[in-house]
Amino acid sequence: MFCAGRASEKKTMLRILVLHGPNLNLLGRREQSIYGSQSLDSIDAALTKLADELAVDVDIRQSNSEGELVNWIQESGSGYQGIIINPAAYTHTSIAIRDALAAVALPTVEVHLSNIHQREPFRHHSHIAAVALGQISGLGSIGYLLALRGLHDHLSAPRKLKKSSPASRRQKTASR
Ligand code: DQA
């Protein structure tokens, strides 16, 4: 049965890409004292539930490969309005992921389960933060839900929020 209402609703729905970086597939088994006992599947289920409540379409992916994450970010330039990313260890090493995010210039929220600023010095620097709308670090899996709420709010009421993403700000300045 064709339902015109649903079809047009789907067309206007916000689409958000959620990316989990390396080793996050091991959540629930990996260093539980740092990352907790929740599995990635259960985090994704909570995100999907909240997305339904907010009428947002989320596309959730995990990869251990930097190149695959870069390809997905590049592809998100068409069809998505925002990105939530936990780049995991690539946070601290990947200029390629940072450059891909800057290139697509979509509002991006960086999420970390642990508080990276309280951990080893090599985790204190994020290559991603400078091109992100914001960073949520240290609140466990709730951080992903806050990121989705925040991004939804940002994308639904752009004029209310004066702050645009640093990447899109840079693009606007460059095109002047
Ligand atoms: C992490 C923090 C990173 O330093 C680490 O490499 C991860 C997970 C977090 O979610 O707390 O794999 O991004």
Side-chain angles (χ1 to χ4, degrees):
M1 188 180 73
F2 177 73
C3 174
R6 281 297 286 180
S8 63
E9 188 182 294
K10 187 98 188 147
K11 229 173 137 186
T12 54
M13 252 175 144
L14 289 174
R15 274 189 97 199
I16 291 176
L17 181 63
V18 180
L19 296 179
H20 303 292
N23 299 309
L24 294 174
N25 53 316
L26 299 180
L27 285 179
R29 283 173 287 155
R30 170 193 187 205
E31 297 178 281
Q32 289 195 12
S33 60
I34 299 171
Y35 300 115
S37 56
Q38 211 175 338
S39 69
L40 191 60
D41 280 350
S42 116
I43 291 175
D44 291 347
L47 260 174
T48 306
K49 184 168 174 279
L50 177 62
D52 283 350
E53 283 166 27
L54 297 172
V56 172
D57 193 11
V58 280
D59 179 359
I60 307 176
R61 306 178 194 186
Q62 188 275 331
S63 179
N64 293 329
S65 148
E66 183 178 23
E68 191 161 38
L69 292 163
V70 167
N71 286 339
W72 287 338
I73 293 165
Q74 287 186 10
E75 288 160 17
S76 73
S78 56
Y80 294 84
Q81 285 75 50
I83 298 175
I84 294 170
I85 185 167
N86 181 347
Y90 290 137
T91 308
H92 320 296
T93 61
S94 180
I95 295 169
I97 290 178
R98 180 230 178 269
D99 284 353
L101 290 168
V104 298
L106 290 177
T108 297
V109 181
E110 176 186 350
V111 174
H112 299 284
L113 296 153
S114 63
N115 183 341
I116 57 171
H117 305 286
Q118 279 180 352
R119 297 184 62 193
E120 305 94 321
F122 66 84
R123 295 187 202 274
H124 294 180
H125 180 70
S126 164
H127 286 294
I128 311 307
V131 294
L133 179 66
Q135 182 194 69
I136 299 171
S137 179
L139 297 181
S141 62
I142 299 297
Y144 285 101
L145 304 182
L146 295 173
L148 183 57
R149 282 193 187 279
L151 205 45
H152 172 262
D153 198 55
H154 177 81
L155 292 167
S156 307
R159 270 163 295 152
K160 223 170 66 185
L161 288 163
K162 287 174 188 71
K163 201 179 154 208
S164 57
S165 86
S168 66
R169 247 190 337 260
R170 260 193 305 282
Q171 283 215 338
K172 272 182 214 148
T173 317
S175 60
R176 269 186 203 135

